[in-house]
Amino acid sequence: MARTDDQASHDQQLRDAATRLGIGRRRFLTVTSAAAALAFTTNLPSAHAADAEIAPRTLTENPFTLGVASGDPLSDAVVLWTRLAPRPLEPGNGLPPTGVVKVDWEIARDEKFRKVARRGTAKAHAEFNYSVHVDVDGLDADRVHWYRFKVGSWVSPVGRTRTSPARGRHIEEVRFGLVSCQAYEDGYFTAYKHLANEDLDAVFHVGDYIYEYGIDAVGGDRKYTDRTLPSLFNHETTTLEDYRLRYALYKTDPDLQAAHAAHAWYVTWDDHEVENNYAAGIPEKNQSVEAFVARRAAATRAYWENMPLRMPKPDATDLKLYRRHHYGKLAQFDILDTRQYRSDQANGDGWQFPTPESENPARTLMGATQERWLMDGFRKSKAVWNVVPQQVVFSRRKNTTAAASKLSMDAWDGYPAARERFLAGAEDIGVENLVILTGDVHVAYAMDVKRNFDDPDSRTVGVEIVGTSIASDGDGEEHPGNWGTLTAANPHMKFYDGRRGYTAITLNEEHARADYRVISHITRPGGTVSTAASFVTEAYNPGMQRA
Ligand SMILES: [Fe+2]
């Protein structure tokens, strides 16, 4: 089916706007704000306040095909999400190109909805692909709730969520999941089926929720025999319609739906939500900056539409994903965005020897504003654990035992000055109990964060828990080919496992514990879960030890 005229004109609008801004390739900060601004200044719902209401009785097919989700819980509030899509794999998702649907929602203290805490009606606008974001407040702290949506006679699946404890309040323990990297075409989301059964307070997703690559008719390594995916998925996503459809495809997955329905999520993105290894306004491949800005704006918008994120204020000009959450007195979560504001990868990206270019102190991974914000948060923290969910590997990873090693230019290793500012700042402030959470690399690691990675005897200042992928890179193996080299070359690397799965993390006043869960296989359904290893780091005595 051809793209709609609306879609084509939206893309042209963005391209024209980007061209008018006269964005230069290296002025990435300008491009960043331009892309983000463009994402939210075109087709705002207010411009279509007079949208005709679509009567619920005209919805003759179930509109709740993409499940429900909740996110960014506070002690008195949580964001509830759904998106109406009677035909999720068709352009337009089976709804008119303009219009608004009134969606009733309710949230209760019990699973049977006898004790309703709040209820109301939200509007799902065509402009935002009929997504619904309800920021429900007035809820009790530190409590499980259940929620659902209704349109006419259609009722959504029931979701379970949990408010956080009030800031500063004493709590015994918090348990959360760490997930990332779910290439649909690499296998089944069986890890999510098991994650849904875990007893968790929340889940952190640190990026690569979608991948932009084309997906063939059999769903790649899923090798479907019971369905054929439409050919419109078999090309790289570049337009708003492409990204919207890609989220719809992912969200039809029953295991992903189960994990969203079971837990509140805090999400942040990495590169594949837009394009592999992009940096701020700089594309990976040869694309004009104008076209890339338009692409990034489309990707940004589709991301916001599909995630349980708190609605940006009407005057917001970008999608600021870095944010801080508190979990009682026990934890402060500083969720980073290391993709949107970064300097371009040095030395042509990939694994390269460090050079004056990669070591240039002017290079940034978070951008100056976010760096200041993080240090300010560390300074004010009163939490036992300072947890930093973020995207790319923080600790040094040499791939040879020789003195000089190539390093990943896309990770913190490619931004050593930025890492040094992070570590020196944390040291000056006296940050205790630092736990960095990471995704991106599709393997699990337990690592000690050294004050100086060149000196194995230097102080251990915290730990890094790298969670493996949900699906990306297929079944994987316990010891990938470089297992021996990496563990020998990096003495601060205490654990390395190359299978698919997720990580369950427990924090209490004594220790932080990581249970590395792995799935037997994902290229066929029915994979079983087991714990590959468990590691703890003691409070005020950092260092990963096998539990
Ligand atoms: Fe990934």
Side-chain angles (χ1 to χ4, degrees):
M1 188 170 168
R3 289 166 57 213
T4 60
D5 288 345
D6 266 16
Q7 179 66 46
S9 88
H10 179 80
D11 289 347
Q12 196 53 51
Q13 260 181 313
L14 291 170
R15 218 165 259 127
D16 290 347
T19 307
R20 274 199 307 278
L21 287 166
I23 293 153
R25 183 172 161 82
R26 294 285 145 182
R27 293 171 58 199
F28 48 84
L29 291 175
T30 310
V31 176
T32 296
S33 31
L38 285 169
F40 285 96
T41 54
T42 54
N43 289 346
L44 281 173
S46 56
H48 295 263
D51 265 353
E53 193 177 327
I54 297 165
R57 62 179 160 71
T58 64
L59 300 178
T60 55
E61 292 166 275
N62 177 19
F64 295 112
T65 59
L66 306 180
V68 298
S70 71
D72 278 13
L74 303 173
S75 59
D76 65 341
V78 67
V79 178
L80 307 181
W81 175 94
T82 193
R83 186 179 128 195
L84 308 179
R87 296 183 191 178
L89 305 189
E90 290 179 13
N93 301 139
L95 289 169
T98 62
V100 60
V101 179
K102 285 188 177 161
V103 181
D104 297 325
W105 55 268
E106 57 186 345
I107 184 164
R109 296 189 191 94
D110 67 310
E111 210 166 346
K112 296 199 163 143
F113 290 86
R114 292 198 183 107
K115 297 174 199 152
V116 171
R118 299 287 309 273
R119 58 162 56 102
T121 303
K123 286 179 176 176
H125 283 268
E127 285 75 9
F128 287 122
N129 209 200
Y130 294 98
S131 61
V132 178
H133 298 75
V134 184
D135 187 4
V136 185
D137 60 9
L139 301 174
D140 294 343
D142 198 15
R143 192 183 209 298
V144 172
H145 291 81
W146 287 264
Y147 61 94
R148 64 186 172 189
F149 300 89
K150 289 180 193 175
V151 174
S153 57
W154 300 106
V155 183
S156 77
V158 172
R160 178 190 167 280
T161 191
R162 189 181 175 102
T163 49
S164 58
R167 186 177 179 186
R169 192 179 169 85
H170 173 80
I171 49 165
E172 291 292 318
E173 198 161 88
V174 54
R175 289 195 81 221
F176 54 91
L178 170 64
V179 298
S180 64
C181 296
Q182 48 197 55
Y184 183 95
E185 63 272 29
D186 282 4
Y188 290 88
F189 293 165
T190 313
Y192 276 136
K193 183 179 164 181
H194 297 294
L195 181 86
N197 292 327
E198 295 265 0
D199 178 18
L200 302 173
D201 294 285
V203 169
F204 287 87
H205 194 297
V206 292
D208 291 356
Y209 191 100
I210 59 161
Y211 282 68
E212 75 275 26
Y213 309 121
I215 302 175
D216 66 17
V218 297
D221 289 339
R222 293 189 174 211
K223 297 192 183 70
Y224 288 141
T225 54
D226 60 342
R227 75 196 88 168
T228 303
L229 296 184
S231 61
L232 53 78
F233 290 105
N234 206 356
H235 64 260
E236 194 165 318
T237 51
T238 57
T239 67
L240 181 59
E241 186 170 275
D242 290 339
Y243 284 106
R244 283 172 162 175
L245 280 163
R246 191 59 59 94
Y247 282 102
L249 174 63
Y250 275 60
K251 282 176 172 287
T252 53
D253 184 280
D255 296 331
L256 178 59
Q257 288 193 11
H260 274 298
H263 309 295
W265 288 33
Y266 298 92
V267 302
T268 184
W269 57 19
D270 193 19
D271 51 338
H272 288 284
E273 283 84 353
V274 181
E275 185 203 32
N276 183 46
N277 283 12
Y278 88 91
I282 301 159
E284 179 197 27
K285 295 179 195 139
N286 293 329
Q287 210 176 6
S288 76
V289 170
E290 288 78 9
F292 183 67
V293 167
R295 178 182 186 176
R296 227 192 95 175
T300 301
R301 181 173 172 137
Y303 183 78
W304 181 85
E305 287 172 350
N306 284 285
M307 293 297 137
L309 290 165
R310 190 154 275 113
M311 177 81 86
K313 291 194 173 66
D315 62 349
T317 54
D318 74 346
L319 185 58
K320 188 171 85 58
L321 273 180
Y322 65 85
R323 59 203 189 277
R324 180 166 297 130
H325 282 270
H326 303 279
Y327 224 85
K329 208 160 69 177
L330 201 50
Q332 173 168 311
F333 297 111
D334 286 297
I335 304 168
L336 304 188
D337 178 350
T338 61
R339 189 58 61 179
Q340 200 177 175
Y341 313 101
R342 65 161 66 194
S343 313
D344 198 8
Q345 290 88 350
N347 305 327
D349 206 355
W351 282 70
Q352 312 290 349
F353 288 108
T355 62
E357 185 193 343
S358 63
E359 290 174 352
N360 182 345
R363 290 164 50 66
T364 180
L365 198 53
M366 292 193 271
T369 309
Q370 186 178 187
E371 276 189 23
R372 276 196 304 273
W373 166 86
L374 179 63
M375 291 305 141
D376 191 47
F378 280 162
R379 213 169 282 121
K380 290 178 185 153
S381 173
K382 294 194 172 84
V384 176
W385 295 97
N386 289 285
V387 184
V388 184
Q390 54 96 49
Q391 293 77 15
V392 290
V393 172
F394 186 87
S395 303
R396 166 77 57 82
R397 272 184 312 153
K398 291 168 66 178
N399 67 358
T400 167
T401 49
S405 174
K406 290 186 174 180
L407 301 169
S408 168
M409 291 295 113
D410 188 60
W412 287 84
D413 271 341
Y415 300 78
R419 181 167 60 199
E420 177 54 26
R421 286 196 297 276
F422 184 122
L423 291 173
E427 182 169 55
D428 282 354
I429 292 161
V431 174
E432 303 264 23
N433 304 327
L434 176 67
V435 178
I436 297 174
L437 308 182
T438 303
D440 182 51
V441 284
H442 312 164
V443 297
Y445 300 126
M447 293 197 276
D448 288 349
V449 175
K450 305 301 287 185
R451 180 62 188 87
N452 176 4
F453 286 102
D454 287 325
D455 174 10
D457 295 329
S458 81
R459 202 160 65 85
T460 296
V461 298
V463 298
E464 179 173 15
I465 300 167
V466 179
T468 189
S469 62
I470 291 289
S472 306
D473 286 344
D475 293 333
E477 52 194 335
E478 184 176 357
H479 289 176
N482 64 358
W483 189 91
T485 313
L486 248 64
T487 49
N490 301 287
H492 53 277
M493 184 182 282
K494 308 298 181 188
F495 173 68
Y496 172 12
D497 189 294
R499 288 170 286 183
R500 304 289 73 79
Y502 59 92
T503 316
I505 297 168
T506 308
L507 306 177
N508 59 36
E509 300 213 346
E510 283 76 54
H511 64 246
R513 177 188 174 104
D515 295 304
Y516 293 91
R517 308 273 202 247
V518 292
I519 308 300
S520 55
H521 55 80
I522 63 153
T523 51
R524 289 166 291 122
T528 55
V529 67
S530 62
T531 302
S534 298
F535 277 79
V536 294
T537 179
E538 291 170 12
Y540 305 100
N541 182 27
M544 282 297 204
Q545 310 166 42
R546 213 170 258 271

